[in-house]
Amino acid sequence: MSKIDIDRRGFVGGVLAGAAALAARSATAAQTPEPNAALLRDKITLEEHFVLPSSLGTTFHPIGLTPETWRNIEAKLLDVNEQRLPQMDANGVAMQVVSLTANGIQGETDRARAIDHARAANDWVAQKFVAAHPTRFAGFAAVALQDPVAAAAEAERAVTQLGFKGVLVNGASNVEDADHAEYLDLPKFAPFWERVESLGVPVYLHPRAPLPSQRVIYEGHDEMMGPMWAFGAETAAHALRLITSGLFDRYPRQQMILGHMGEGLVAMMARAQRRFEYAPCGKKLQKPLGQYLRDHFYITTSGNFHTPTLNNVIEEMGIERVMFSVDYPYESMSEGATWFDNCPLKDDARHKVGRLNACRLLNLDPG
């Protein structure tokens, strides 16, 4: 066969493949009616951040951003009325559940300071966001897990007195210095887990950067250190530690939230289960790993606006376990809302992911 024939065959094959893909997309579009306009105006988002002015020192600065870009993000983290609310209005976000940005309280190395800052952050949200705009904002509590008993007490205060809807933890909590931290599966955290389970509120497990002593794999690759890769890898490993430690056998009512379409864990769970069966290393669990994920975790779309990934997460987790989020101000509210509003979801699925699942999990009544 001549080179011309080969090139012609490749060209024709490409045309046919493109036509098939276009037909598939057209068929999908034809099967999915235009969304109810009301559903585009009542979205709830759950991974939306603020910063307490006094905690700027522990805020993670994404590597590689220009100073101007970071100043813009920082201004939005501090803002309530000038940019945040107008952007919510413009993009059909009825309510944000706000939380202290990474590394937050978990980045504190002093126990007493961590306790004080957690309380101050929660009071700030209660005053500046929730009391000022009760139908537009709710809060996830910051807690100082450097002291699990104090964390339990602050979680209870935030939920029962301030009306917060859960707790957000920015990964492992530093102990004494920046190179040592503790993960939430350790037995010492039992007082915290006992309290949040009794309160009936979820814990949002949010990323943080790996400890300085654990960054060898990223040497020479600063681009991978934050949200591009390391955030997800760190958080997925933390979540898997919770599962394999038997935490959810001990606290069977506890619910968790993972952002960014599950930090890669949803896609990897079948592989993890298969190898765990071969080599559990003495761990004994009551259920398969994937069942713990489906029974105890909700997944949000924060910062991962990708329809094939959304479809996979819905398929694996079930529509009741998936919730829309943006990751403001690190991600564009407009981009996230435009993507979600145009996803090929039927109205009942869009309503669940965009609003109803969050209302049910967090006992929200945005009005």
Side-chain angles (χ1 to χ4, degrees):
M1 185 180 294
S2 69
K3 182 178 184 300
I4 292 175
D5 289 334
I6 294 172
D7 289 344
R8 184 181 295 115
R9 178 174 291 183
F11 173 76
V12 172
V15 170
L16 292 175
L22 181 60
R25 287 196 296 271
S26 299
T28 299
Q31 294 169 6
T32 307
E34 287 294 316
N36 184 331
L39 302 182
L40 309 183
R41 298 192 298 269
D42 70 352
K43 295 184 289 291
I44 296 172
T45 60
L46 310 176
E47 191 181 317
E48 322 309 322
H49 300 300
F50 78 97
V51 69
L52 189 67
S54 61
S55 70
L56 284 170
T58 60
T59 301
F60 175 78
H61 290 224
I63 297 169
L65 297 185
T66 66
E68 180 181 0
T69 299
W70 175 248
R71 284 194 296 272
N72 184 35
I73 291 173
E74 192 173 77
K76 291 178 180 177
L77 286 167
L78 290 164
D79 168 68
V80 179
N81 298 304
E82 293 185 7
Q83 298 187 65
R84 190 182 300 253
L85 276 168
Q87 288 193 37
M88 290 167 64
D89 292 338
N91 292 288
V93 176
M95 173 176 274
Q96 282 189 348
V97 185
V98 297
S99 53
L100 185 63
T101 193
N103 290 328
I105 306 304
Q106 278 57 65
E108 290 283 0
T109 57
D110 180 85
R111 170 187 165 278
R113 189 165 60 239
I115 293 171
D116 289 344
H117 281 193
R119 187 179 184 92
N122 295 333
D123 287 344
W124 178 272
V125 169
Q127 176 187 0
K128 299 290 185 179
F129 287 87
V130 179
H133 307 279
T135 65
R136 305 304 302 275
F137 295 109
F140 283 132
V143 293
L145 285 154
Q146 293 83 348
D147 184 327
V149 173
E154 182 59 20
E156 181 165 9
R157 184 185 80 93
V159 171
T160 61
Q161 297 182 31
L162 304 181
F164 283 21
K165 303 304 179 179
V167 174
L168 185 138
V169 179
N170 286 293
S173 293
N174 281 107
V175 180
E176 296 182 356
D177 60 52
D179 263 329
H180 296 86
E182 295 177 327
Y183 292 85
L184 281 166
D185 59 297
L186 297 179
K188 68 177 291 182
F189 294 110
F192 169 73
W193 288 116
E194 290 168 2
R195 192 68 56 86
V196 291
E197 186 190 43
S198 71
L199 291 167
V201 296
V203 173
Y204 202 129
L205 187 60
H206 186 269
R208 66 167 295 176
L211 301 177
S213 59
Q214 298 176 6
R215 299 178 184 178
V216 176
I217 196 171
Y218 302 114
E219 286 183 359
H221 289 275
D222 286 349
E223 73 280 2
M224 295 174 63
M225 258 297 300
M228 177 200 163
W229 187 260
F231 269 19
E234 173 81 6
T235 310
H238 196 166
L240 201 52
R241 285 181 63 138
L242 299 184
I243 292 173
T244 61
S245 72
L247 182 83
F248 301 110
D249 292 340
R250 298 190 295 277
Y251 306 103
R253 298 188 308 277
Q254 185 58 50
Q255 295 296 308
M256 306 290 298
I257 308 174
L258 287 175
H260 314 111
M261 295 287 196
E263 311 290 4
L265 192 57
V266 176
M268 290 299 296
M269 187 53 77
R271 166 72 170 167
Q273 174 63 40
R274 181 170 175 81
R275 302 320 300 176
F276 182 75
E277 290 169 359
Y278 276 90
C281 297
K283 301 287 197 315
K284 294 182 180 180
L285 301 176
Q286 296 175 6
K287 297 184 287 190
L289 303 185
Q291 196 60 50
Y292 288 103
L293 192 68
R294 289 184 289 273
D295 289 348
H296 295 277
F297 286 82
Y298 286 75
I299 306 297
T300 80
T301 68
S302 60
N304 195 341
F305 312 137
H306 188 239
T307 303
T309 305
L310 174 64
N311 292 338
N312 172 254
V313 170
I314 291 173
E315 179 72 18
E316 293 285 347
M317 298 293 296
I319 194 68
E320 308 288 342
R321 290 262 165 185
V322 184
M323 302 181 293
F324 175 61
S325 290
V326 172
D327 204 352
Y328 179 87
Y330 300 99
E331 301 286 350
S332 163
M333 203 180 307
S334 175
E335 181 183 355
T338 300
W339 164 75
F340 181 70
D341 290 348
N342 288 280
C343 276
L345 295 172
K346 294 182 179 179
D347 277 353
D348 59 341
R350 191 184 311 279
H351 201 194
K352 287 178 179 178
V353 175
R355 181 182 180 90
L356 293 184
N357 292 344
C359 288
R360 172 172 46 85
L361 175 64
L362 303 182
N363 193 26
L364 292 173
D365 184 16

